[in-house]
Every structure is written in C-alpha cells, then in structure tokens.
Amino acid sequence: MRIAEISTPELRRAQPDAQPDDPLTSQIESLVKQFETIPVTHPRPELSPLAADLRRCLSQLAEHAPFPNSLKLHLWKLSYRLWNSCVDRSNASSISSSSSSSSSSDQAKLRHVAADMLSLAGSAAGVPSPEVKTAFFYHKTGIIWHDLKRFDLAADCFEKATEIISKVDVGTVKDAGQRKLFLDLQIARSRTAWEVSNQILAVTLLNRSKCLLFGSSDHYIALANQYLAFGKSILETNKGNEARCFKEALKLMNDSLDLCEKAFSTARMRQETVNLKGLKSRILRFIAAVHLQMEEYENVIKCVRILRESEGGGDNHPSLPVLAMKAWLGLGRHDEAEKELRGMVVNKGIPEGVWVSAVEAYFQSAGTAGAETVKGVFLGLLGRCHVSAAAAVTVVHRVIGGTSGSGGDVDGSRVRAKVVAELVSDDRVIALFSGDATAKERNAMHALLWNCAAGHFQLKDYETSAEMFEKSMLFLPCDIEGRAVRAKGFRVLCLCRLGLSQLDRAEEYINEAHKLEPNIASAFLKFKVYLQKNDHSAAINQIQAMTICLDFAPDFLLLSAHEAVACHALPVAVASLSNLLNFYALGKSTATSDVVVLRTLITILSQDTGNEPEVVKFIKHANDRASEIGVDCYFGKDEVALRELKWFAVTSWNCGTSAGKKKNFVLCAEFLRLASNFYSLLVDMQGEEHSLLLCKSLIFTVCAMIASENEREASLTEIEVKQALELLERAGKILKSLSTRMQLNDDKDAALEPDLNFIYTFSAYNIHGRINDSRSQQILVKNFVSSRACTPGYLLQIGLAAAQGPRPNPEVAFLALSQCLSQLVSSVSPDYHNVSLIVRKLIALTSIYKGDTDDDAVYDVYKQAYRIMIGLKEGEYPTEEGKWLVTTAWNRAAIPIRVGQLDVAKKWMKVGIELAGLVPGMETYRACMEDFIRGFDKKFAQH
C-alpha cells in the first residue's frame, strides 16, 4: 500500500529551512533518488548493495542523535519516498509475474530500512500519531519477511512495532484502522512464533489479543480464525502423541467457537451475522472432525445435530452426511449410516468428491456386506447427477479392496468381485468412459479390474478371474494401439478356460488372440490347448509353427517340452527337444546348454521301451560333439564336466546292460562302446578312479559284438574284428594295471578280478581265433592258467570252446583241459562228473590229433583215468563214463590184433580189464574179457 506524502501545514512552513547540510543525510537522499530512478520494469536490479549502503548511513547517522525537528521531518519524507518506491516496484512485479525470491528479499530489506529510518527519526512536530505510523511500517515489513520464511527478521519487526506502539494508550485510540493495527500486530507476532515452533508464546499472544477486540465483530472473526488456523495446523502436523495433539487442537477450536459466540452480541449488520454463522458452522465441523478422529462418536452426532438444527434452515454442508455416517458406523449402527449414505443420493448439492469419500468410508466399515449397498448408491447417483469416470474408478477400487483377490478372505473377495462385475457392466457406467477425455480413467479402470482378475487367478479361482478379465476388456479402446492389450486379454482368458478344463472355449480365445497379435505367446498357448486335448499330432505341428514366429526364442521349445512331460505326452516332448537341438547345430545359443537338452531328451526317451535306437543316436551325438569341440567346451569345466560325463557314462552302461538282458546285442554293443568312451574321458580327468568300469565296458563291448552274430545271423566283418582287437588291447593293459595294483595293495576287492579276467581271456581267445592267431591264443590261456583268476570251471569252458568250437585249437584245448583235470583232482572234493567229461574230451583230442603217431599218449590218458578211479566209492565216478572207458579201451585192441600187433592189443585189453574192475555192474563183462584173454593167450602162444 502506497503511503501519502506528509503535507501538513507545519511541514510546508518548515520546508524552506529543511534542506540539511549534513553529508550523511545528503548521501541517504542520493541513495533514495538512485533507487527511485531505477525503472520499475527492470527485470533484476541489484538492490542488495543499495540496502547495505542505506543501512550503513543510518548507523552512522544514529551516532549524531538527537536530531533537530527539520532533520526528523526530512528523514520522514525520505522514508516515505523509499517505501512508496518499494510499493510501486512490488505492484509492477505482481502485474508482470516476474518477481523472484531474491528481488522480494531485497525489497523487504529496503522496507526494513524505511521502517528503521522512521524509528531513528522518532516523533516530529507536525506528524500525527508517529508511533502508530512507525509501527505500521514495521508491521507490514514483518509480514513480508514472514511470507519469505525469514521468521527471525519478521519477529524482530513485530517486536519493534510492539515496543513502539506500547507507548500509546490503547484507550485513547479512536481510529478503527489503528485499533485494527493493534490486533493485527499481536496476531502477526503469534503466527511467527507458531512457525518457529514456539506454540506456548503463540497461544499466549492470542490470549492477550482478547483485550484488543474493541467490541468489533471483525476483530472477533479475525482472532477466531487464527485460533481455528492453529488448531488445524496441529491436526495437519500431528507430531508426537496423537491423543495430546487432538486435545490441544480441540482446545484451540473451542476457544475459537467461544469467540464466535461472543461476537454475535457485537454484530450490528445482517452481513456480520451471516459471516459469524458461517464461521461458527465451519468451526463446529472441524470440532466434529476432531471428535471423529478421537473416536468420540456421540460428540460427532451432537455437533452434526446442532449444525442441522441451527437457525435459518440449518447447515447443509456436504461434509455433514459424511461425518454423521462415519459416526454411526463407529457406533455400530449401520442402518443409520446407510440412511445417511442413501440420503446423499437425493441431495443434489453434495459434490462428487464428498459422496465418493462417504462410499469409501461406508464400505471400509461395512465390508463385503456393504457391497450391494455401494452398488445401489452409485447407480442411483448415475441417474441423479453427472458422475465422472474418476469417481467410478474410485468406487470400484474401494469395493475391490487393496488385496484385489489375493487376501485371506477368499469368499468375501469373490462376492466383491461379483458386485464389481455387475457394476462395471452397466451401460451407464461404460458410457462414462467413452471418448478421449477419459483415457486416463479408462486405463485406470482396466488396471483395477485386471489386477483383481490376476489376484483371483493366483488363488486358482479361475471362474471369477475369467469374469473379471472379460469385464476389464470392456475398458479397452478398439484402435490399433489397443490390439496388443486386447490380445493379451484373450490370452489370459485362454489360461482361465484351460484352468477350468473348458478346452473348446480356450481354443476360441487363443484363436482370437492370434488374429490380433500372431506372436510366440499366442502360438505357445495354442500348443498348450492341443496338449490338453491330447491331440499330439496337432501339438507337434504347432511346435513347427512356433519356430517361424518373429519373436520366437529357443527357450520356448524347452518350455514346450516341460509342458509335454507334465501332460505325459512324451512324443511331443521329444519332438520339441529335437527341434531345439537343431538350433544348436546352427550355432545359436540359449540359456540352457546343449548337453542339458540332450540329457533331458535321453531321460524322456528312456521312460518308454522301444526307444533304445533313438537313445543310442542322441548319446552318440553327445559323444561326437564332445570329440569335435572338446570336453570343456561341450560338457563344461571341472565339477560340471565330471557330473555330466558320469551321467552319460552311467546311462550308457545301464542302457547297454538292459539291452543285453533283452538279447539285443547289437544295441548292447553300441551302448557299451559309448560308455567306454565316456569312462575313458573320466579316467583322463580323474585318474584311475574309473579304470575298472572302463575295463568292463571295453570287455563287455567285445562280448556283445561276439553275441550279436547270432542276432544278425552274420559273422563279424574284418573291420569289426579289428575294432574288437583294439578294444581288447586297451582292456588288457587296464586289466594288467588293475591286477598289479591289487597285488601291491592287497586289495580286498581282488575278488572282482576273476570273472573279468576270464571274460577278457575268453573273448580275446575268440577274436584271435578269427584271425588264426593260435600263438596269441596259447599265450592268453597260459597267462590265465598262471593267474589267480584261474579256476577249473573257467578252464573247462576254455577247453571245451577250443575243442569243439567253430575254430578249434587242440593245443589250447589240451592245455586247458589238462590243467582243469589236474586242479579238479587235487581239490578237496572233486567234481567227478566234470572229471569224466574232461577225460572223455582228452581221449578224443589225443585220439584225433595224436592217435595215429603216438598211441602211448592215448594210453596215458586211460591210465590217468584208471589212477583217478582207484579208491573211489561205488558210484562216485559216473558209471556210464566208466563203462565208456572200459568199452573204448577194450575196443582199441581190435585194430592191433588185425594187423598183428599183439603186444599193443594185449596192452589195451589189460587196461580194459583193469578199468572194468573199478566200474560197478561190469563183473560179467570182465569175466568174458578174462576168458577172451585166456583164449587169446592160448591161440597166439606159439607166436
């Protein structure tokens, strides 16, 4: 506010003599003129140095006090000029809206200088009420400092103003403006004290202000408003003890209400009464709100009743139904609360925000039971007044609740979701969201319904989830931008229908989604539908369709395989993983390594019989890839590689043994050969730990190759024989190393060696026989005979194989059977059945290969049999075998008799008679033999 220049008669008479010669005064006037010459439109004038210079001049001038009256009047005039220039500049800045905090602070400094200039000049003759004017300057400056948050400077101004005005007798002041200044100054001091958290001083100053009301209703209103403002401030900050804050706020509001009541007696005009009634209603509403926060619901109802029953038709403020409804809810009287809520439907004066708040409060208290009431109120409001889309979003959010279906009250959540579904599907509600202006609210509604549906989906409440997803799609635009979101909606609806086993509807939804957005997500869900329908052929075809999607990633094939395994659709899982392997062959990488995919594929194939050829193919693929790119690159490094190699080795071994049990020796050989490769890699990485298994897999591979001849009805080829020899050569070295280690360590597991040593010897004998390497065969058998693994049973098998196999070796047969016979006879309890068998075989071998040249060799075998049979119990040696020995020995004398070799004939007849004496049941036969010999002797005695 611009201050009129002083123009009293005294000042005009004093002006000719008022030109001071003091250099400080001249400097002050020069600085004031300098400020006045700065255009008010200047954007950012530098005023801080000017204020500092003025402040310095005033400080120096103060040292020359007291001043003559002419100098005082001159200072008053300069102060007014400075003040008015600040006012002009402030007005110009407010019009142009170019004021900044720095310029406002600079002007406040200049105003402060102007006030200090008046304070320094003091009372001057010719200036009426100088104290009041000086206090006014300080008061206005303090208000500016207060607005700039410089509360220390504001308090300084207010205190100086109070000190100056305290010299004035309040009772003598008659001017209404000056009386108002007394009150405003106290209120301003109180506000500043409140801002610096000195609440005690602030309230004390307000209480002192009660004696400065001068019977004016305006004064009462101003002071009451300040009490109310302090009460509201306490509620807003609410620091510390909540109950104490409510109590303090209520006390201040009651003081405000008390002032308002007293002010009615001072009102002289109708407008003053109206203003007081409005203030009283506002205070009572705040008091009711505080009581509501303090849960003093009865007091809230009293306040509302007072307001409604007041003179002039009562207060119909929109907040009253909300306050009353919340109080009734607090008292547990839901019927009364519902009346208040439904009453708002017919009250057209209640703003939207008020009834939305009431709906929220009612539903929060009533819970699920109030959902239908909320729906009815909202639909009723639609027919009464214009309801915004934002209000609809708020109501739906409140009814759905913050949990959106994922909380513990599943049944209540389902009921609320049903109410919301009915609400949002109303045509009037949908119409609220039409047009571009409500795009934000439409997106918010869609998000609310979507999240609610997602919550129910997590709870596996697919029926409710599907309904809410469908309702959410009502709030999607039909433009191109909404196609992706709509497609996403169809996809989640497909998932819901899958969860409900409604496969046909699920297929319809995913087909619609694919039309809108033909991406990998839609293709994969269509694959899921085919799986659920057990249409394996369509599912496998869909795998191919997935691979041509633009956003396809190989990981979807792995996911498809997992889905297929979960549905027990193993052919589909195999097809998916096989396609994934093709991507590795093309050099593409995924989050899952090639070896993991192969392992998974082999595991799946192994679950069904008849898949052995496929298993072999994939294990061989792993072996070939490891050979091509290296073990570290394919299987990984360190422990990872060891774990993978062990898995492939064990799997190959198990599959090989299983195929061997099924007499499928071709596959058995393939599996065991692969197992030997993996175990060989393990030996390279871990040393001798896996040597025994490597040796076994090598030997058994050759065994399976030999056994496969009958299965294939074809002999091993030269290449296969060569491969078998190489395998046996490796196995022989390992077996020798293991035997040596067991002997050195006296290993208790040495019992594992005999079977393996025999199988190795037997297989190696067979393979060497195919290349007519009899020398190696003999060496093999001699080494076996000298080993700890040698047993009569093993020697018998080797001997029989050498004697009557497809490629006989009499030397090996004679060696093996002779050693076997010796070991059997020297044992504690010989097996004479095997002894007799060996004797027969030795006689046959000797007869065939040596009989023509060395008859004594055959004779020695018979004599050895005779020595074995001597002393045996009756029947201990097989009788039939004994008879065979007797008969064959006797019959061997026939040819020598014919050719005249009588000594040789007599030798064989003697052996026959001797053997006949050891065989039970041949007494008669022996007597005949003896008679024949006697006759033979008589007949040939002359010779």
Side-chain angles (χ1 to χ4, degrees), residues 781 785 790-804 809-825 834-846 849 861 864 868:
V781 176
V785 169
C790 181
T791 63
Y794 292 153
L795 288 172
L796 178 60
Q797 292 186 57
I798 294 173
L800 293 176
Q804 59 193 27
N809 188 328
E811 292 83 0
V812 172
F814 193 82
L815 173 63
L817 292 175
S818 298
Q819 290 293 328
C820 179
L821 183 60
S822 299
Q823 291 185 16
L824 283 174
V825 172
N834 286 337
V835 169
S836 64
L837 175 63
I838 293 169
V839 168
R840 183 189 281 246
K841 288 296 180 183
L842 285 173
I843 291 172
L845 286 170
T846 308
Y849 295 103
V861 177
Q864 184 179 10
I868 292 171

Side-chain angles (χ1 to χ4, degrees), residues 559-593:
L559 183 60
S560 301
H562 286 302
E563 290 287 341
V565 171
C567 294
H568 303 287
L570 300 186
V572 180
V574 171
S576 179
L577 293 176
S578 300
N579 275 277
L580 183 56
L581 287 178
N582 295 334
F583 281 90
Y584 290 109
L586 296 174
K588 297 182 179 180
S589 61
T590 65
T592 305
S593 64

Side-chain angles (χ1 to χ4, degrees), residues 515-798:
K515 291 176 184 177
L516 291 171
E517 191 179 24
N519 59 6
I520 184 61
S522 300
F524 177 74
L525 280 179
K526 187 177 287 189
F527 167 80
K528 265 183 81 75
V529 172
Y530 290 143
L531 276 182
Q532 295 287 339
K533 297 178 80 170
N534 290 323
D535 191 347
H536 294 177
S537 177
I540 293 174
N541 293 334
Q542 187 61 27
I543 291 174
Q544 298 297 330
M546 288 165 56
T547 59
I548 61 175
C549 291
L550 295 178
D551 56 343
F552 169 77
D555 291 336
F556 276 97
L557 291 175
L558 191 61
L559 183 60
S560 301
H562 286 302
E563 290 287 341
V565 171
C567 294
H568 303 287
L570 300 186
V572 180
V574 171
S576 179
L577 293 176
S578 300
N579 275 277
L580 183 56
L581 287 178
N582 295 334
F583 281 90
Y584 290 109
L586 296 174
K588 297 182 179 180
S589 61
T590 65
T592 305
S593 64
D594 185 1
V595 67
V596 173
V597 174
L598 264 178
R599 179 155 43 80
T600 306
L601 183 56
I602 292 168
T603 303
I604 294 172
L605 286 170
S606 301
Q607 293 182 17
D608 282 344
T609 57
N611 292 329
E612 289 82 0
E614 291 294 313
V615 174
V616 166
K617 181 180 73 174
F618 290 117
I619 293 179
K620 191 173 185 300
H621 174 80
N623 180 70
D624 294 342
R625 289 288 291 165
S627 301
E628 291 172 7
I629 65 177
V631 176
D632 290 346
C633 295
Y634 189 70
F635 289 111
K637 295 182 179 180
D638 301 329
E639 292 299 325
V640 176
L642 288 173
R643 186 171 61 249
E644 295 293 347
L645 282 171
K646 286 179 182 177
W647 188 92
F648 277 95
V650 171
T651 301
S652 301
W653 175 272
N654 291 339
C655 291
T657 55
S658 176
K661 292 176 181 178
K662 297 176 182 177
K663 308 299 182 183
N664 191 343
F665 297 111
V666 174
L667 281 175
C668 176
E670 284 293 328
F671 279 122
L672 292 175
R673 190 197 306 271
L674 292 169
S676 68
N677 292 341
F678 292 122
Y679 280 123
S680 179
L681 294 173
L682 284 169
V683 169
D684 293 340
M685 296 180 69
Q686 280 193 316
E688 301 297 326
E689 181 178 346
H690 300 280
S691 296
L692 181 60
L693 288 171
L694 171 58
C695 185
K696 286 183 178 180
S697 60
L698 290 169
I699 295 171
F700 292 160
T701 299
V702 177
C703 293
M705 292 172 67
I706 296 171
S708 67
E709 287 183 324
N710 293 331
E711 182 183 349
R712 298 186 303 176
E713 297 181 354
S715 300
L716 295 177
T717 64
E718 292 183 6
I719 296 176
E720 290 173 331
V721 171
K722 185 177 180 180
Q723 292 174 350
L725 282 173
E726 292 174 354
L727 295 176
L728 287 170
E729 183 179 357
R730 292 173 59 195
K733 293 178 180 179
I734 298 171
L735 194 61
K736 184 177 180 180
S737 173
L738 289 172
S739 300
T740 304
R741 188 176 65 191
M742 290 176 181
Q743 291 173 3
L744 293 175
N745 299 335
D746 193 19
D747 197 337
K748 296 180 180 179
D749 292 335
L752 296 175
E753 185 184 346
D755 288 341
L756 191 61
N757 204 338
F758 165 71
I759 296 172
Y760 164 74
T761 303
F762 196 84
S763 302
Y765 170 83
N766 185 298
I767 296 299
H768 281 286
R770 294 171 187 268
I771 58 175
N772 297 321
D773 189 358
S774 60
R775 183 174 177 276
S776 296
Q777 287 180 313
Q778 292 178 30
I779 294 173
L780 283 168
V781 176
K782 288 179 180 179
N783 290 337
F784 180 72
V785 169
S786 62
S787 69
R788 289 192 299 172
C790 181
T791 63
Y794 292 153
L795 288 172
L796 178 60
Q797 292 186 57
I798 294 173

Side-chain angles (χ1 to χ4, degrees), residues 862 882-893 897 905-919 921-938:
Y862 277 95
K883 291 179 179 180
W884 181 87
L885 287 172
V886 172
T887 304
T888 55
W890 181 266
N891 290 338
R892 282 184 178 276
I897 292 174
K906 194 169 183 179
K907 178 181 67 173
W908 284 112
M909 287 187 289
K910 183 179 179 181
V911 170
I913 290 174
E914 290 174 350
L915 290 170
L918 301 176
V919 179
M922 295 197 73
E923 292 80 4
T924 304
Y925 190 78
R926 182 183 180 189
C928 293
M929 294 171 67
E930 289 175 346
D931 291 341
F932 180 83
I933 289 176
R934 283 193 295 270
F936 177 83
D937 288 339
K938 290 178 181 180

